Amino acid sequence: MNEEQRKEQAQINQVDAADRKSGQDKPLHEKTSADFAKYFETTYQPPNINKARKRGREEVDVHYDFDIPEDMKSIGEGKKFLIRTYGCQMNEHDTEVMAGILTEMGYESTDDTNKADIILLNTCAIRENAENKVFGEIGHLKPLKLENPDLILGVCGCMSQQESVVNRIMQKHQHVDLIFGTHNIHRLPHLVKEAMFSKANVVEVWSKEGDIIENLPKVRRGKVKAWVNIMYGCDKFCTYCIVPMTRGKERSRLPEDIIQEVRHLAASGYKEITLLGQNVNAYGKDFEDTEYGLGDLMEELSKIDIPRIRFTTSHPRDFDDRLIEVLAKGGNLLDHIHLPVQSGSSEVLRKMNRKYTRESYLELVRKIKKAMPNATLTTDIIVGFPNETDEQFEETMTLMEEVGFEAAYTFIYSPREGTPAAARKDDVPMEVKKQRLYRLNELVNKQSAEAMKAYQGETVKVLVEGESKKDPDVLAGYTERNKLVNFKGPKSAIGKIVNVKITDAKTWSLDGIMVENTVEVN
Ligand code: 5AD
Ligand code: SF4
């Protein structure tokens, strides 16, 4: 689908302006969901595994023609913006892009809500509590908007991709001026202009698929580490997960565009990049005429003069031998692998539509460990999936030990409207789920502490990111295997990779002292 066709499908709607002009419509607060459904009619598709399999590959277009129209280039002069980011690294990186666009429009960034002319909430929909936080924040910002009617308050990110959320905002939070989705970020200049000059709410959500827009500006948060998108979207349709709906279908950036971005980052002095995607192992599967996967991409990137390359997030199903072979060569490809398992029970995994079993996951782990004996493995786990039995939960506990994960993000299952799992009856009481999470976390903490202990007395390479949040006299950075290290050292070490001798191991971090020689500064 090209940009013109997309525009035809675009849902820029001046809700009450258009409706009230007709003189026949109800006031905004009296409208029901049905009144807002039209904004999603052409684009909204509830999650559907069968349809997902048929998602067209040929429809992805890559655009290199992003430009800010002349009349919007100075629209932000003398004004400030603030973007609050919730959720994953993908959102963090989208925020860097939005900051880049707003900066090119003349805006400056601020941390102070009172000084901001635009506030954007870049939201996460993965679990209910993430959404609740955002609704709380929308409420908190209301007095500010009442005080300063010229303030543009926008909601973007994954929550905006859900029809029910848009309905709720439109009905109950009319002080929100602008709602736009994850595929509409490049339209920000137009949307801001629209919100500035119209007296009505602006809603633009293309929820269907999304193209790739290449040359978007970015204001990166740091000068040491950078995110690099390699692909967008997800076609895996795990039954609990909202992401395939909020982020569209899997689509990969072309290798040459990624390589060029990484080269540019290396030349600008960045020391570490993290390749980003909801399921990076599916990289290249959407290329029609070539067989080119994540392993091939990583091999090419490993030749670039940048000290550290990471990638996240992996799906066990697509983690192939070629990738293992390339990672095993080491060099600047780090051997920390985040490999979400979600559950240790094959039956639960089947219900989650993960397409692997406990046994095949363990087999993959064996292969990885054989090729990379020092690899660190971390994971994501969901407890309390509908009807998870005690025995099935115990299988998660034993898998945690068997693999020896050094860290895990653990979650209580949160039903997401429109996903297959949310429609299932669930006989597990919340108290039981909480108890399971508690037990799992105890085990995660124990394994993390044990892994940290092994570093006591060792010397590790730390990429120094800056001062520690708690103490400006202490520097902080991460090891190759992603362990946080706090240590005393000169400020001149910031941005460099230095040797640090570990003096104390805590559950989630290490303390140390810098050893004189700097390791490598490319
Ligand atoms: N409930 C709880 N956790 C979830 N995740 C994704 N969807 C849900 C949900 N509905 C977790 C998975 C995923 C991580 C990013 O969030 O573990 O890997
Ligand atoms: Fe969600 Fe990850 Fe499953 Fe995709 S692979 S549906 S992002 S949990």
Side-chain angles (χ1 to χ4, degrees), residues 136-202:
E137 186 61 12
I138 293 174
H140 285 146
L141 290 169
K142 188 169 183 179
L144 208 65
K145 174 72 189 175
L146 295 179
E147 237 170 67
N148 172 14
D150 289 337
L151 168 70
I152 295 175
L153 177 57
V155 177
C156 55
C158 289
M159 278 171 69
S160 314
Q161 295 290 142
Q162 294 170 274
E163 191 172 7
S164 58
V165 170
V166 175
N167 287 336
R168 184 167 158 193
I169 296 175
M170 301 288 272
Q171 286 172 338
K172 300 212 173 112
H173 304 278
Q174 288 156 35
H175 58 290
V176 172
D177 305 281
L178 174 60
I179 303 174
F180 61 99
T182 54
H183 309 312
N184 309 77
I185 289 175
H186 63 292
R187 300 257 313 139
L188 192 54
H190 303 268
L191 297 172
V192 167
K193 191 178 172 195
E194 193 80 33
M196 223 176 233
F197 297 115
S198 84
K199 294 264 175 294
N201 312 63
V202 176

Side-chain angles (χ1 to χ4, degrees), residues 128 131 140 151 165 194 322 341 357 410 472 488 504 516:
E128 193 185 359
E131 290 199 358
H140 285 146
L151 168 70
V165 170
E194 193 80 33
R322 167 83 175 122
V341 67
T357 60
T410 57
K488 295 244 178 209
D504 197 13
E516 271 316 295

Side-chain angles (χ1 to χ4, degrees), residues 184-380:
N184 309 77
I185 289 175
H186 63 292
R187 300 257 313 139
L188 192 54
H190 303 268
L191 297 172
V192 167
K193 191 178 172 195
E194 193 80 33
M196 223 176 233
F197 297 115
S198 84
K199 294 264 175 294
N201 312 63
V202 176
V203 183
E204 179 167 311
V205 183
W206 296 329
S207 66
K208 204 171 135 258
E209 309 293 6
D211 284 343
I212 293 179
I213 320 283
E214 267 307 331
N215 59 331
L216 293 170
K218 297 171 189 103
V219 173
R220 296 187 190 269
R221 245 184 53 195
K223 301 244 167 298
V224 182
K225 301 205 296 195
W227 312 113
V228 175
N229 276 126
I230 63 166
M231 62 177 305
Y232 303 93
C234 180
D235 284 348
K236 287 289 169 285
F237 277 74
C238 302
T239 55
Y240 51 81
C241 187
I242 197 78
V243 168
M245 181 165 70
T246 60
R247 291 277 172 181
K249 73 176 173 194
E250 282 174 2
R251 53 211 192 275
S252 306
R253 286 180 73 196
L254 297 173
E256 53 267 35
D257 291 328
I258 298 168
I259 291 166
Q260 193 188 37
E261 184 174 348
V262 175
R263 281 212 183 108
H264 182 74
L265 288 165
S268 313
Y270 282 87
K271 298 290 183 304
E272 178 177 310
I273 57 146
T274 303
L275 307 176
L276 280 186
Q278 244 77 41
N279 168 16
V280 287
N281 307 83
Y283 177 78
K285 291 200 189 303
D286 54 323
F287 294 150
E288 283 199 309
D289 38 10
T290 78
E291 283 282 316
Y292 188 92
L294 183 62
D296 304 304
L297 178 70
M298 297 283 284
E299 185 164 59
E300 288 200 61
L301 293 176
S302 70
K303 296 175 195 150
I304 298 177
D305 198 5
I306 193 154
R308 292 180 169 192
I309 301 178
R310 301 182 192 277
F311 60 102
T312 197
T313 273
S314 287
H315 191 298
R317 189 177 165 215
D318 292 324
F319 208 109
D320 58 24
D321 292 350
R322 167 83 175 122
L323 178 62
I324 297 176
E325 171 203 320
V326 171
L327 290 177
K329 292 183 193 155
N332 57 1
L333 308 181
L334 302 187
D335 51 6
H336 164 221
I337 294 166
H338 187 69
L339 194 61
V341 67
Q342 313 298 359
S343 168
S345 150
S346 295
E347 179 55 17
V348 174
L349 290 170
R350 192 186 60 75
K351 288 184 181 163
M352 288 176 163
N353 191 37
R354 291 290 288 179
K355 301 273 172 53
Y356 55 86
T357 60
R358 175 192 178 97
E359 291 68 35
S360 62
Y361 184 92
L362 285 170
E363 179 52 33
L364 174 61
V365 167
R366 266 190 291 277
K367 266 198 224 167
I368 292 173
K369 285 185 173 171
K370 190 164 171 232
M372 289 173 268
N374 294 322
T376 288
L377 286 164
T378 57
T379 199
D380 292 349

Side-chain angles (χ1 to χ4, degrees), residues 126-127 240-241 340 342 380-382 411-416:
I126 199 111
R127 284 170 291 276
Y240 51 81
C241 187
Q342 313 298 359
D380 292 349
I381 294 174
I382 296 175
F411 312 101
I412 291 184
Y413 164 74
S414 171
R416 305 282 66 215

